[in-house]
Amino acid sequence: MSPHDLTLQVIQQVFNGVSLGSIYALIALGYTMVYGIIRLINFAHGDIFMVGAFAGYFATAVYKLSFFPALVLAMVVAALTGVTIEFFAYRPIRKAGRISALITAIGVSFLLENAGLLILKPDPRAFPEVIPLTVYNVGGLIVNNRQVLILAVTFGLMFLLQWIVRYTKIGKAMRAVANDRDAAHLMGIDVNQVITVTFALGSALAAAAGVLVGIVYNRIDPLMGIMPGLKAFVAAVLGGIGIIPGAMIGGFVMGIVEVLVVAFISSGWKDAAAFVALIIILLVRPVGLLGRNVGEKV
Amino acid sequence: MATQFGWKKIRDYLSLIVTALFLLGLAYINVISGLGLIDRYYNGILILVMVNVILAVSLNLINGITGQFSIGHAGFMAVGAYVSALLSIHLRWPFAAVLVAGMAAAAVMGVVVGIPTLRLKGDYLAIATLGFGEIIRVVIVNLDITGGPRGLPGIPPKTGFFVAEALAALTILVISNLINSAHGRAMLAVREDEVAAETMGVNATRYKVTAFVVGAAFAGLAGGLYAHYMMFIDPKSFSFFKSVEVLVMVVLGGLGSVTGSILSAAVLTYLPEMLRQFAMLRMVIYSMLLIVMMLVRPQGLLGTWEVSQAFRDLWRRRETGEAGRRDVHGIA
């Protein structure tokens, strides 16, 4: 392989990695926001992604909606699911300690997966072709319109999220609660409402990722949330958990590493790559790429 | 002057009766199993209960007693299972030797994983152990000698109920003695407050690694038993879900309670079998029960309570006539 071909190949793979990474980034945002606010690893988040994918599937396959209405509908359905789960499963146990909350989250995750297997049946389904595939060749780089769509939707949603978090009243409240829940409460912020909104936003982003995965990879099933969920969580830790830009960067790093390993080493080591990257980061910089070191008070 | 009949006293007597019934039940199982009257299906469940008891009690040492949140226990189980199975198949070592080798291999893996990751705290440690557990699984999938994703068949069937039972009892004995030794108190100190423990001269890193390695070794033992009962192992049996299953047993029984781990390992192994009549609904019911149990009793079934505490309290009342009850950590 000539050096020019190799460079092209690397660029191609990095591009593919960025588009896979956007999916991880969208899911990771939900993990990181929830963690930032209530310090809970929401294990059910990967399954919310699955719920979103199925909502998108029914919207397009059964109700014949086009891409954007289906995307919005899936986001709304997932947001409602997320809020419901928070209300019934996490809110009653919030004061009981983090390990109990973690086990409850695992229980909710099992429940969504098994209810999915029961109601939606275990067989994978083909997602309808909402966006016809067009392939472009940009100076030797193979790019298709679905990858472009993933990037456009992801960046659009990320900007929207940043705008909400930075410039709206509820965003300000979210930052305050993440900083110090008790102090925020004393300042008159409705903490419960903030947590509800956080779950709604995070779940909606995961649903968007679900619909995009359905369109690009064309295959959805009730257990599709497990691996992406784990990897997106790893991405959130990689970037510094609780930090929104960290989750985005973590997601992209994760996608790129995974695609490069598949392209240049072997697809068998794909799943290990993500975790090796995680362990290296944790050992070198335990707070994540963008995390700040907070001194321990004794 | 123990004229008062307080709730604690009733509970102590009740636990005495429950323990007696439990031991009677165990004796009954042993007798019918010894006479060969037990059917294969129940025999299998009993062996799996013992394997899960070993897993839960050993993870409890790491998570409950030392307070280090590990969710990679299945990885160590896998190491023990594959090493002992391969030695049985290829070198035809005796059963006891392969079990010990499996334990040793898992312990070595415990050192390799533990020393770097135990610098991390809380959720970060949890994620790092999860990562290592997954890496171990992916390595097994990619090796040739392990049979890769297709699994490893042809393991001689050597695990019987009595062997599994004896080794589970041994595990409980070793770990509860460890908990009640000076080492155990140091581990509890690390759990309660690592900085304070360090200040009092406890070498926190050393005790964390010790707990991790001992826990890993027993997970390896459980893996060896499992492999020689199933006669076939594949990487899927040791995925993240197995780790979660064991974690759920420990938390549901009560973090830090050996009695609780034993109890919930038995219940949670049998529960899915009991729900088998509901077919597809089975796992839905299982996960709902899990959520409801956590909502109703977030501290786990027994909290940090041990059955030995009940006996000690009864004994103390007989000695002194007082109804006082100290909250100490007891032996299982």
Side-chain angles (χ1 to χ4, degrees):
Chain A
M1 202 187 282
S2 76
H4 176 259
D5 284 350
L6 185 68
T7 322
L8 199 66
Q9 171 88 358
V10 170
I11 295 174
Q12 173 77 59
Q13 295 305 339
V14 168
F15 180 76
N16 294 348
V18 169
S19 88
L20 175 66
S22 335
I23 303 286
Y24 292 147
L26 282 176
I27 310 174
L29 284 169
Y31 273 116
T32 227
M33 288 197 296
V34 167
Y35 190 91
I37 289 202
I38 55 172
R39 300 275 176 272
L40 166 72
I41 303 177
N42 181 12
F43 261 104
H45 194 60
D47 304 297
I48 298 278
F49 155 84
M50 175 273 289
V51 169
F54 271 93
Y57 167 83
F58 286 113
T60 49
V62 181
Y63 298 103
K64 309 289 178 210
L65 293 181
S66 61
F67 172 69
F68 275 103
L71 182 70
V72 172
L73 184 75
M75 288 170 77
V76 170
V77 169
L80 289 176
T81 315
V83 168
T84 313
I85 290 170
E86 193 274 325
F87 186 81
F88 286 106
Y90 301 157
R91 189 166 296 187
I93 208 172
R94 208 182 287 155
K95 287 199 177 65
R98 293 172 51 196
I99 292 180
S100 317
L102 184 73
I103 301 292
T104 311
I106 290 172
V108 172
S109 167
F110 281 179
L111 182 62
L112 287 177
E113 283 156 20
N114 291 303
L117 288 176
L118 189 71
I119 301 164
L120 304 165
K121 305 292 172 235
D123 319 301
R125 299 175 190 223
F127 209 86
E129 288 236 348
V130 205
I131 311 275
L133 188 68
T134 327
V135 180
Y136 311 103
N137 188 329
V138 188
L141 222 62
I142 311 292
V143 176
N144 69 47
N145 60 337
R146 290 177 182 166
Q147 286 174 313
V148 176
L149 179 78
I150 287 195
L151 290 179
V153 171
T154 304
F155 281 104
L157 288 173
M158 281 176 180
F159 281 117
L160 189 66
L161 179 71
Q162 278 293 28
W163 177 76
I164 292 174
V165 172
R166 283 189 185 204
Y167 300 112
T168 63
K169 205 173 167 189
I170 188 73
K172 207 172 184 179
M174 280 168 69
R175 281 181 288 143
V177 174
N179 209 303
D180 188 329
R181 200 203 295 179
D182 293 332
H185 189 60
L186 289 173
M187 293 298 122
I189 293 173
D190 184 347
V191 174
N192 279 336
Q193 189 201 354
V194 170
I195 294 173
T196 304
V197 172
T198 308
F199 270 88
L201 286 177
S203 305
L205 292 173
V211 175
L212 292 173
V213 161
I215 286 174
V216 175
Y217 297 92
N218 226 310
R219 221 177 102 97
I220 57 170
D221 68 84
L223 299 182
M224 67 186 278
I226 299 173
M227 233 8 197
L230 270 180
K231 286 184 188 162
F233 178 67
V234 169
V237 177
L238 207 71
I241 195 150
I243 305 163
I244 290 177
M248 301 178 190
I249 292 176
F252 290 127
V253 169
M254 198 79 162
I256 293 168
V257 167
E258 191 175 316
V259 169
L260 288 180
V261 166
V262 172
F264 295 105
I265 303 174
S266 137
S267 63
W269 294 97
K270 180 176 85 165
D271 290 345
F275 293 105
V276 171
L278 167 82
I279 284 165
I280 293 171
I281 292 284
L282 281 181
L283 294 180
V284 179
R285 225 185 124 63
V287 287
L289 291 171
L290 299 188
R292 256 175 307 145
N293 241 323
V294 185
E296 192 181 346
K297 284 184 200 149
V298 180
Chain B
M1 270 170 280
T3 46
Q4 279 179 316
F5 244 87
W7 162 239
K8 277 174 187 166
K9 197 168 178 183
I10 295 172
R11 194 174 83 165
D12 285 352
Y13 278 108
L14 196 68
S15 51
L16 203 79
I17 295 165
V18 172
T19 312
L21 285 175
F22 174 77
L23 289 177
L24 265 176
L26 197 63
Y28 171 72
I29 290 170
N30 274 294
V31 169
I32 59 166
S33 185
L35 295 174
L37 295 174
I38 204 155
D39 74 71
R40 274 175 56 96
Y41 174 64
Y42 284 102
N43 190 46
I45 295 176
L46 285 170
I47 291 175
L48 290 180
V49 166
M50 295 305 162
V51 169
N52 283 334
V53 164
I54 297 177
L55 286 170
V57 170
S58 59
L59 185 66
N60 194 14
L61 179 70
I62 303 172
N63 281 13
I65 303 297
T66 322
Q68 303 304 308
F69 205 70
S70 162
I71 39 177
H73 221 46
F76 300 120
M77 185 189 178
V79 171
Y82 273 94
V83 167
S84 60
L86 289 171
L87 288 173
S88 274
I89 295 173
H90 295 297
L91 301 181
R92 308 202 172 281
W93 281 16
F95 189 40
V98 301
L99 286 181
V100 171
M103 276 180 91
V108 169
M109 195 51 87
V111 176
V112 171
V113 175
I115 288 178
T117 53
L118 286 167
R119 295 190 312 161
L120 304 166
K121 288 191 172 61
D123 294 337
Y124 291 106
L125 174 65
I127 300 312
T129 51
L130 188 164
F132 266 112
E134 283 296 295
I135 291 171
I136 291 175
R137 191 181 61 83
V138 175
V139 168
I140 292 172
V141 169
N142 282 288
L143 287 179
D144 282 332
I145 191 167
T146 56
R150 279 165 292 117
L152 186 64
I155 306 164
K158 288 187 175 161
T159 305
F161 170 63
F162 290 112
V163 177
E165 188 189 26
L167 288 174
L170 182 74
T171 307
I172 295 166
L173 193 72
V174 170
I175 288 185
S176 49
N177 275 339
L178 179 63
I179 293 171
N180 285 288
S181 68
H183 299 291
R185 283 194 296 279
M187 286 168 185
L188 283 173
V190 171
R191 173 185 79 181
E192 293 302 323
D193 191 328
E194 196 176 322
V195 179
E198 287 265 10
T199 319
M200 302 310 286
V202 173
N203 184 344
T205 309
R206 199 185 118 199
Y207 284 106
K208 287 197 279 186
V209 174
T210 308
F212 208 71
V213 171
V214 173
F218 281 104
L221 175 67
L225 285 173
Y226 177 81
H228 290 83
Y229 160 66
M230 297 300 280
M231 297 150 65
F232 168 79
I233 47 178
D234 64 350
K236 272 206 285 302
S237 331
F238 308 103
S239 69
F240 169 60
F241 287 97
K242 186 66 197 176
S243 300
V244 167
E245 197 188 313
V246 182
L247 177 71
V248 166
M249 286 171 189
V250 172
V251 176
L252 211 64
L255 272 169
S257 166
V258 176
T259 313
S261 293
I262 299 167
L263 196 69
S264 67
V267 171
L268 288 183
T269 313
Y270 188 58
L271 189 67
E273 299 296 332
M274 216 165 66
L275 295 174
R276 215 168 261 282
Q277 50 178 313
F278 298 106
M280 281 295 282
L281 260 179
R282 176 171 83 114
M283 289 313 287
V284 175
I285 299 175
Y286 177 86
S287 27
M288 280 203 199
L289 281 176
L290 191 62
I291 299 170
V292 170
M293 279 200 258
M294 277 336 280
L295 291 179
V296 178
R297 261 191 92 75
Q299 73 275 41
L301 292 173
L302 298 184
T304 55
W305 184 84
E306 298 285 5
V307 68
S308 56
Q309 247 164 278
F311 290 97
R312 231 185 346 237
D313 291 344
L314 280 175
W315 184 248
R316 196 177 301 125
R317 263 199 297 277
R318 275 182 54 161
E319 295 277 286
T320 62
E322 59 166 331
R325 176 167 179 274
R326 274 198 307 144
D327 273 321
V328 282
H329 237 281
I331 328 164

